[in-house]
Amino acid sequence: METIRKQATRLREQVARQQQAVLKQFGAGGYGGSDNLVTDEAELQHHQKLEKLYISTRAGKHYQRDIVRGVEGYIVTGSKQVEIGTKLSEDSRKYGSENTCTSGSTLSKAALSYGRARAQMEKERGNMLKALGTQVAEPLRAMVMGAPLEDARHLAQRYDRMRQEAEAQAIEVSKRQAKVRETPGNAENAMKLEAAEAKLQDLKSNMAILGKEAAAAMAAVEAQQQRLTLQRLIAMVEAERTYHQRVLQILDQLEGEMLSERQRIEAPPSPSIGNTNTMPMSPPPPYEEVNGVYASQAHNGSTDSMGYFLGEVMHSYLAESEVELNLSIGDYVVVRKVTNNGWAEGECKGKAGWFPFGYVERRDRVLASKVAEVF
């Protein structure tokens, strides 16, 4: 269709030039110079400008309509995704709140966290879809269907019809001029020629005014189309960017919670302060007492008789509660108590607490300087 339209435009311009040549030939006798011709060069350029504006605004209108259709389709599919995601959020929340597992609540906690995060993400998706509708689709649809565009197009069409009428009137004037030359002194032919020329002059005057109005209206619409469409595209990008940023924040937080929970269940079980059956947590001996015991026993090498011994840390350990010790490779620990579930209680660097017994190895011979570092 675009190729056919361009061919028709070129053919029309070619016909206009041919008409101009014919009119110049008929007007050579002195009644109609080039200044009286409708299809002079200035008018032709004005007509071509209007033609380009018409094509530009039509293409802009079609692009705006394509954006509206695309956004509306995106909103429809996005709304369905919100519905599915909300259902998944509710199912996760329901499973987490019921907590039917008999061996722990880790998955239930993860399900609750996921359900909460999914609900937040779907809320953000809904906000984005609402923004696309109100900030992109509605303004563009209003402009596509708006009065300024239609009014400008109607002015351009009226100018085109008036131009065709003026061209036909110019041919009529040329014919009248030929008759006057053929029958000199014929008053009736002279009067008809004057009337035809007056009508042509009126048409040319009105056509010039209407052409300026149409060109100004079309140029204003074109500028508005370009500006508004760009603004709506930017608004669409900003809405999607904000949505993805917030979803990324939610996912980062959710991932951190889940990884922390997984690390907690994969690590050795933490000692329970309140459950004395599984993990006796009697307070460690006072610092002075421990120091005194090791000061006297270190010389005799008989720490085993007291049940205490030194251990060297072979694996780092990060305390997960206030009753646990932070251990670094190479540290030495006074081991005062070892439980059946793999935990030990002792002192390192002047602080008493619990730690995984498998992280240390017993050392029977230790330099006195290392012993001093423990306290």
Side-chain angles (χ1 to χ4, degrees), residues 28-288:
Y31 278 97
S34 60
D35 57 332
N36 293 326
L37 296 177
V38 176
T39 55
D40 58 16
E41 189 65 25
E43 194 280 330
L44 183 59
Q45 292 179 358
H46 192 69
H47 172 72
Q48 291 174 346
K49 179 181 178 181
L50 265 179
E51 181 74 12
K52 292 178 180 178
L53 284 170
Y54 191 90
I55 294 172
S56 173
T57 53
R58 182 176 60 186
K61 176 182 178 180
H62 290 172
Y63 182 50
Q64 289 177 332
R65 187 171 56 196
D66 292 340
I67 295 176
V68 171
R69 289 175 178 174
V71 170
E72 288 176 344
Y74 189 76
I75 291 175
V76 171
T77 56
S79 299
K80 185 62 177 178
Q81 289 179 323
V82 170
E83 180 182 346
I84 296 172
T86 302
K87 179 64 168 56
L88 178 57
S89 170
E90 294 173 353
D91 292 341
S92 298
R93 181 190 57 79
K94 180 180 178 181
Y95 176 82
S97 60
E98 291 178 353
N99 189 20
T100 58
C101 181
T102 60
S103 60
S105 60
T106 302
L107 181 58
S108 298
K109 292 180 181 179
L112 285 173
S113 298
Y114 179 79
R116 181 177 62 255
R118 173 54 61 184
Q120 293 175 348
M121 288 189 287
E122 298 310 328
K123 180 180 178 181
E124 294 297 337
R125 190 195 300 273
N127 292 339
M128 179 191 66
L129 296 178
K130 182 178 179 181
L132 292 179
T134 57
Q135 299 179 18
V136 180
E138 291 180 7
L140 291 180
R141 186 188 302 110
M143 187 168 186
V144 169
M145 305 299 296
L149 175 61
E150 293 303 317
D151 292 345
R153 292 167 67 89
H154 289 160
L155 283 175
Q157 292 168 356
R158 284 177 54 194
Y159 166 80
D160 191 61
R161 289 193 296 267
M162 185 173 291
R163 185 174 185 274
Q164 295 177 10
E165 185 178 353
E167 290 175 351
Q169 185 62 26
I171 295 176
E172 179 67 21
V173 168
S174 299
K175 292 179 180 179
R176 295 295 177 186
Q177 290 174 347
K179 288 184 179 181
V180 168
R181 287 194 300 271
E182 292 173 358
T183 56
N186 190 318
E188 182 179 358
N189 288 338
M191 292 178 59
K192 289 182 179 180
L193 174 59
E194 291 178 0
E197 289 177 338
K199 184 178 180 180
L200 176 60
Q201 189 62 35
D202 290 341
L203 286 173
K204 291 176 64 176
S205 176
N206 293 335
M207 184 179 67
I209 296 173
L210 186 58
K212 291 180 180 179
E213 293 178 358
M218 294 290 284
V221 169
E222 182 187 49
Q224 186 184 24
Q225 277 184 340
Q226 297 291 310
R227 183 179 65 257
L228 180 62
T229 306
L230 178 60
Q231 290 175 352
R232 296 310 97 196
L233 282 177
I234 294 174
M236 182 164 59
V237 171
E238 290 178 346
E240 293 192 66
R241 178 174 175 269
T242 300
Y243 162 72
H244 289 294
Q245 284 181 333
R246 292 179 178 174
V247 167
L248 181 59
Q249 294 175 355
I250 295 171
L251 289 175
D252 285 342
Q253 181 178 356
L254 175 62
E255 183 185 30
E257 294 176 359
M258 288 186 167
L259 290 178
S260 177
E261 189 67 18
R262 186 178 69 178
Q263 292 173 357
R264 189 186 68 80
I265 63 174
E266 290 178 353
S270 300
S272 174
I273 298 177
N275 189 351
T276 57
N277 294 328
T278 59
M279 179 60 67
M281 291 295 292
S282 58
Y287 174 80
E288 293 80 3

Side-chain angles (χ1 to χ4, degrees), residues 333-347:
V333 186
V334 175
V335 181
R336 296 188 289 207
K337 188 179 299 182
V338 179
T339 62
N340 294 330
N341 61 358
W343 283 81
E345 193 273 337
E347 184 173 349

